[in-house]
Amino acid sequence: MDSHIPTLLITTLLLSISPKPVLGGDPDILTDFIAPPNSPPPNATFFTFSGFRSLVAAPVPAKFQVVKATMEQFPALNGQSVSYAALLYPPASANPVHTHPRAAELLFLTQGELEVGFVDSANKLYTQTLQAGDMFVFPKGLVHFQYNADAQVPAFAVSAFGSAAAGTVSLPNALFNSTVDDTVLALSFKTDVATIQKIKAGLKG
């Protein structure tokens, strides 16, 4: 009997233990669209989203506001790997530091100016001042922000995402409005529990 394992068997074994490719976005679907279960066949209304109508001729909000068109608000997006958000920045307001774990964000500024930026995995900050008509991409999963530094003029932007449910993790909320122990937060930020509690109280105001 040959004491050597056949080459084909070795190749098969190696392929079976090789790392599988990781999906970088929403899974592909095998149909044109995904209709809601136990419902009649959809008509054109199913593919129409009117949630942005409230923004037309609306007054400038008192604080930063986002209106989303994701799979949650617009079920026809299920399986389409795309979603939108309308972003309204009153004067001197910010969209706090946050991440989108499942998609990159492509922001298009239609009115005003914005200071934008993100931090990469090497802890390098990239910032830019956008004018109306500019676009900026925030890479998938990276911490980023937008800030309207103008004390008089509001700003308006529309963002597109490469996922029907990009997700948003607001760092202030995730850290200070969660049940993470105050001592853990104090040690993480090299401060004391009293300071952490003061930050938490400020976020609730």
Side-chain angles (χ1 to χ4, degrees):
M1 178 183 290
D2 190 349
S3 61
H4 298 288
I5 301 175
T7 304
L8 180 59
L9 180 56
I10 293 175
T11 304
T12 303
L13 288 170
L14 288 174
L15 287 174
S16 70
I17 63 173
S18 297
K20 301 296 187 288
V22 177
L23 293 175
D26 294 354
D28 287 334
I29 59 174
L30 301 178
T31 56
D32 294 335
F33 54 86
I34 300 175
N38 305 316
S39 64
N43 57 25
T45 300
F46 174 70
F47 302 99
T48 304
F49 179 74
S50 58
F52 289 162
R53 288 183 184 178
S54 63
L55 303 177
V56 178
V60 177
K63 59 182 180 179
F64 169 75
Q65 180 182 351
V66 57
V67 180
K68 297 180 179 180
T70 70
M71 190 173 71
E72 181 179 354
Q73 298 84 21
F74 190 11
L77 297 182
N78 188 6
Q80 302 303 320
S81 300
V82 66
S83 58
Y84 271 86
L87 308 159
L88 297 89
Y89 310 82
S93 68
N95 185 0
V97 287
H98 61 282
T99 68
H100 302 294
R102 294 183 290 275
E105 175 182 358
L106 185 61
L107 181 144
F108 174 54
L109 184 63
T110 65
Q111 177 183 326
E113 290 187 4
L114 278 182
E115 306 290 332
V116 300
F118 69 87
V119 180
D120 70 9
S121 57
N123 209 34
K124 180 177 179 180
L125 174 65
Y126 297 82
T127 61
Q128 184 63 275
T129 300
L130 302 183
Q131 308 289 327
D134 291 346
M135 298 180 79
F136 192 85
V137 63
F138 302 98
K140 178 180 175 179
L142 297 185
V143 173
H144 61 280
F145 65 90
Q146 301 107 32
Y147 170 49
N148 179 10
D150 196 306
Q152 303 295 326
V153 180
F156 181 81
V158 177
S159 284
F161 301 90
S163 169
T168 300
V169 179
S170 169
L171 271 62
N173 279 331
L175 292 170
F176 300 106
N177 283 337
S178 67
T179 55
V180 177
D181 187 88
D182 287 354
T183 301
V184 173
L185 291 173
L187 290 170
S188 299
F189 287 95
K190 302 186 185 304
T191 186
D192 52 58
V193 169
T195 301
I196 296 298
Q197 292 176 342
K198 186 179 293 185
I199 293 172
K200 286 186 172 183
L203 288 172
K204 292 177 182 176

